[in-house]
Amino acid sequence: MEIVRVTMVSRFATKEEIFQEDFWEINQELLAINEKYLLPDHQEINLARFGWWKDAGIRPSYYGARFWEYPFALIAADLEQGLKCADVGCGTTPFTAFLADKVGAKNVTGYDPDLVESSNDERHSAFGVRRQFLDKIGINFAQDDLLNLSAPNDYFDRVFCISVLEHIDDFETQVKGLDEMVRVLKPGGRLILTMDVGLDTILTHPLDMVGHSGLSPLGTIDFRWPEQRFVKYGDATMDVFGLVLEKSSKLINDDYEGAKTRELYQANRKYKVLHDHYLMTYNEALFIREKRKNFTKAIVKLLLGKYK
């Protein structure tokens, strides 16, 4: 199918959007790829986590949240033959194979630190990428983690990171990974992220991702929470957010007279450097506040490592 070009809105996932025509046509292609390569069937976990799954009657299938994340990312990417694409944390999924079909296998690079060499190795079904799958789809692959991508600066037209960031424990490491993805993205390229977010659980910070990346949102961002939660984890719930950012190469005046110019993303990056320079951690701020109230108590807590 030809992916329809639309005005982009970064937003929360909803189950209703999954079954809209543009999303569902893409999912049909992805399901065919899933069956072609005999990829894992996530039927049991989907029944447990998605209330709508039982009535959908989809089998075999990939993970339920990806029925929104994959079409969102592919529509946002506006793919065409020859575009260089990176799939960061690729795993063994139909998404990577879909990219190979649309832009050419040798224009796609998958990154994943967890490589499963043997087809008989049953260590995972959800994580890691299998060598046999990589050989079949014919893409480039590097066994790199998010903090060290083996690609030159300004190399990829599109960088995808689908539901990876929430699996990184601390925000500082998330930001370092974000910096690395921005580094390998061409000026004019798009960084497409999806991530789990929670009403009561802080896993990722979509708005902070915009600020720390130095990139510009492509289109608009809708931060309004949907009425219905998207995923159920036992007694807890989770939502998914899709974010599309652009490494804009638009020139802006570097001085009042316009004698010098710089690219917009470079200006944003400079602002980020200043932001990081003056940024203090929450614990640093807490120490300063408590020191004003009770100097001795604050110093004792500092020596005991309470502000780390």
Side-chain angles (χ1 to χ4, degrees), residues 3-22:
I3 297 177
V4 180
R5 292 160 176 78
V6 296
T7 301
M8 195 61 235
V9 180
S10 296
R11 60 193 182 275
F12 284 97
T14 64
K15 66 178 182 180
E16 289 77 17
E17 197 167 15
I18 290 172
F19 298 101
Q20 290 180 5
E21 183 177 358
D22 54 348

Side-chain angles (χ1 to χ4, degrees), residues 13-251:
T14 64
K15 66 178 182 180
E16 289 77 17
E17 197 167 15
I18 290 172
F19 298 101
Q20 290 180 5
E21 183 177 358
D22 54 348
F23 272 50
W24 191 244
E25 286 188 12
I26 295 171
N27 275 315
Q28 290 294 100
E29 286 196 50
L30 290 164
L31 285 166
I33 293 171
N34 207 69
E35 186 172 1
K36 175 181 178 180
Y37 292 107
L38 303 176
L39 301 184
D41 181 9
H42 291 80
Q43 182 77 358
E44 289 188 14
I45 195 169
N46 288 343
L47 284 169
R49 293 185 179 180
F50 302 94
W52 50 269
W53 189 261
K54 183 177 180 180
D55 295 332
I58 308 166
R59 187 165 189 176
S61 61
Y62 37 92
Y63 182 57
R66 309 296 184 259
F67 278 76
W68 186 89
E69 292 174 280
Y70 290 161
F72 170 84
L74 293 165
I75 291 171
D78 196 13
L79 295 173
E80 58 186 49
Q81 276 290 326
L83 288 180
K84 292 187 182 299
C85 296
D87 187 4
V88 180
C90 58
T92 304
T93 74
F95 182 81
T96 318
F98 188 103
L99 292 179
D101 288 344
K102 297 303 177 184
V103 305
K106 292 307 177 184
N107 292 314
V108 177
T109 302
Y111 293 99
D112 201 310
D114 192 0
L115 176 62
V116 182
E117 290 283 1
S118 171
S119 59
N120 297 320
D121 191 336
E122 297 298 334
R123 285 180 296 159
H124 340 264
S125 61
F127 300 108
V129 58
R130 295 184 179 274
R131 173 65 72 185
Q132 186 179 46
F133 175 67
L134 292 172
D135 292 342
K136 286 180 179 178
I137 64 175
I139 65 166
N140 306 304
F141 175 75
Q143 196 173 356
D144 298 342
D145 64 28
L146 186 62
L147 302 182
N148 185 27
L149 302 177
S150 52
N153 296 345
D154 306 332
Y155 185 74
F156 291 107
D157 298 287
R158 303 287 186 267
V159 175
F160 299 90
C161 186
I162 307 298
S163 198
V164 172
L165 293 171
E166 66 267 24
H167 299 289
I168 299 173
D169 291 336
D170 65 285
F171 182 65
E172 182 180 352
T173 305
Q174 290 180 4
V175 170
K176 288 179 180 178
L178 192 63
D179 287 343
E180 183 69 350
M181 289 188 282
V182 171
R183 179 187 69 78
V184 301
L185 183 66
K186 287 181 181 178
R190 300 178 188 181
L191 173 61
I192 301 168
L193 310 169
T194 67
M195 62 201 80
D196 287 0
V197 294
L199 282 171
D200 301 313
T201 305
I202 300 175
L203 293 174
T204 54
H205 312 251
L207 186 57
D208 287 343
M209 294 294 169
V210 179
H212 281 277
S213 71
L215 305 185
S216 304
L218 183 67
T220 60
I221 303 180
D222 187 349
F223 282 116
R224 292 174 296 177
W225 289 85
E227 179 180 354
Q228 181 66 42
R229 306 281 57 80
F230 192 62
V231 189
K232 179 183 178 182
Y233 289 93
D235 295 330
T237 61
M238 202 63 62
D239 283 87
V240 170
F241 196 87
L243 185 61
V244 186
L245 303 174
E246 183 179 32
K247 195 174 186 177
S248 176
S249 56
K250 177 183 177 181
L251 295 178

